[in-house]
Amino acid sequence: MQKWIITLGLSVAVAACTREAGYEADTGTFGNATLNNIQVMNGELTYAQILGQRFAAEVPTQINFAFDSAKLDATAQNILLRQAVWIKQFPEARFRVFGHTDAVGSQSYNQALGQRRANAAVAFLTQQGISRSRLEAVVSFGKTRPLIDTATRDRRNRRTVTEVSGFVDRNPLVLDGKYAQIIYREYVESATRESYIQREDSPSGEE
């Protein structure tokens, strides 16, 4: 019995030694820079995709609308304010806004409605001081890409989505190829207060 216990203990020790040092300590954040650099070099990711993942993880990327409307309600405006704060802190990045609708109505009508929704989101972002040149041509998918597969009204499908689309070509950091300095820059959430002050002095951004 004692021999069996000793043998089992040695087996566990050997198995533990075969695991990478620090595997339990690294929960996926400490090694992200190295992992992402490897993926970029392998062609698995672009720097814009990595920054896009950060954007999606740190601020809401989607706003929703009432039926047959491109009006920005208070919730949508608050989300866009948070997006604007984040976007201002990464002036090297460009963004694109995609408009969507639910399945009610014709394809042509929903295509135009999705465009109006995207236009409303872009207009609001520009009112917060974001250069229009950094907000690429808005795109409407109409009712072709629903989140919820239903033929009826569904608020979750009536949305716009903001995404990182690339980098400003003439920005000094981009010209120097210092993408890592951009994508791993600290995002300072305390700057949110400034955006709310600006909101009180600016139009609602509704179209």
Side-chain angles (χ1 to χ4, degrees):
M1 181 67 176
Q2 185 177 4
K3 181 178 179 181
W4 181 84
I5 293 173
I6 293 173
T7 302
L8 177 61
L10 289 173
S11 299
V12 171
V14 171
C17 290
T18 61
R19 294 171 177 169
E20 183 180 353
Y23 80 99
E24 290 179 331
D26 187 358
T27 59
T29 55
F30 181 78
N32 276 352
T34 300
L35 174 61
N36 287 338
N37 285 338
I38 292 172
Q39 290 178 312
V40 168
M41 288 186 290
N42 290 342
E44 298 174 33
L45 280 177
T46 66
Y47 287 107
Q49 287 173 319
I50 297 170
L51 190 62
Q53 291 172 356
R54 274 204 63 184
F55 179 62
E58 295 175 351
V59 296
T61 60
Q62 176 180 304
I63 60 174
N64 296 95
F65 296 83
F67 180 72
D68 195 22
S69 174
K71 181 179 178 180
L72 301 173
D73 61 21
T75 299
Q77 291 184 33
N78 286 334
I79 290 173
L80 290 173
L81 284 170
R82 292 181 62 184
Q83 291 184 13
V85 171
W86 199 98
I87 291 171
K88 286 180 181 180
Q89 294 181 77
F90 294 86
E92 305 88 352
R94 296 198 310 264
F95 295 79
R96 181 176 290 139
V97 178
F98 299 91
H100 301 265
T101 71
D102 61 24
V104 179
S106 68
Q107 175 59 33
S108 60
Y109 182 85
N110 281 315
Q111 187 77 19
L113 178 58
Q115 188 73 48
R116 293 200 305 273
R117 288 171 174 167
N119 288 340
V122 168
F124 188 88
L125 289 171
T126 58
Q127 289 166 6
Q128 311 313 309
I130 308 299
S131 171
R132 183 64 180 81
S133 64
R134 295 179 56 210
L135 298 169
E136 290 191 295
V138 291
V139 178
S140 173
F141 288 116
K143 62 180 182 179
T144 62
R145 298 191 180 183
L147 284 179
I148 308 301
D149 188 11
T150 175
T152 60
R153 298 183 183 185
D154 196 305
R155 180 178 174 85
R156 291 168 292 182
N157 288 332
R158 302 192 297 265
R159 68 200 192 278
T160 65
V161 180
T162 306
E163 296 182 359
V164 175
S165 60
F167 293 95
V168 178
D169 294 335
R170 296 185 179 181
N171 187 278
L173 273 183
V174 174
L175 289 174
D176 290 340
K178 298 179 180 178
Y179 292 101
Q181 291 187 23
I182 300 171
I183 61 178
Y184 297 115
R185 180 182 302 144
E186 182 180 3
Y187 166 52
V188 184
E189 293 189 65
S190 61
T192 303
R193 182 176 179 276
E194 178 185 350
S195 71
Y196 277 90
I197 294 173
Q198 290 180 358
R199 181 190 174 201
E200 293 178 357
D201 298 329
S202 65
S204 64
E206 297 169 3
E207 292 192 349

